[in-house]
Amino acid sequence: MKVVTSRKGRIYTEQMPEPACDTNFVIVENVYSAISPGTEMLIIDRSKHVEQALALGYSSAGIVREVGEGVDKLAVGQRVACYGAPFVRHAERIAVPKHLVAPLPDHVDMGEAAFVAH
């Protein structure tokens, strides 16, 4: 699975393992992921001072692909908005706690919903 990261002040698209669907989590296939220049630049700058890659992103919208035990208000196939690093990131799929996921009404554009954090 592809994830956008920053390492040593540079941006990369890296392959990482698929996320697991734990209790009270959902797996979301991102359709849109919001880019906030200030936040992204802060993380990129911070990556200059650490050894490990830092994942970028914190606000997105997508489709629920899996629900974990304890999740009863979200369903596979449902459109959702997600907020909260380090769970929400620029990645193909993300594992997000159920309390950081909001269902999207049909009339809400997913591109706009990706900015749920703004």
Side-chain angles (χ1 to χ4, degrees):
M1 169 190 76
K2 293 178 187 169
V3 178
V4 178
T5 64
S6 181
R7 178 177 295 157
K8 300 292 183 190
R10 303 193 72 166
I11 299 171
Y12 298 92
T13 301
E14 299 188 46
Q15 284 295 126
M16 293 197 169
E18 293 283 334
C21 192
D22 294 328
T23 300
N24 293 317
F25 274 70
V26 296
I27 300 297
V28 175
E29 180 181 342
N30 274 334
V31 176
Y32 291 96
S33 186
I35 296 175
S36 171
T39 302
E40 307 294 340
M41 292 306 296
L42 178 70
I43 295 169
I44 292 165
D45 189 54
R46 185 176 298 150
S47 78
K48 294 176 185 176
H49 310 290
V50 296
E51 291 299 315
Q52 77 276 12
L54 300 177
L56 298 173
Y58 63 94
S59 188
S60 70
I63 311 279
V64 174
R65 293 300 179 206
E66 188 176 345
V67 296
E69 186 178 328
V71 178
D72 57 359
K73 295 190 173 52
L74 299 166
V76 172
Q78 191 171 18
R79 298 170 353 114
V80 294
C82 308
Y83 170 70
F87 305 104
V88 180
R89 55 182 65 178
H90 305 309
E92 291 180 293
R93 280 167 295 290
I94 54 177
V96 186
K98 66 182 181 181
H99 69 279
L100 297 177
V101 179
L104 291 180
D106 291 338
H107 71 277
V108 175
D109 178 77
M110 286 186 98
E112 293 176 6
F115 289 90
V116 66
H118 294 270

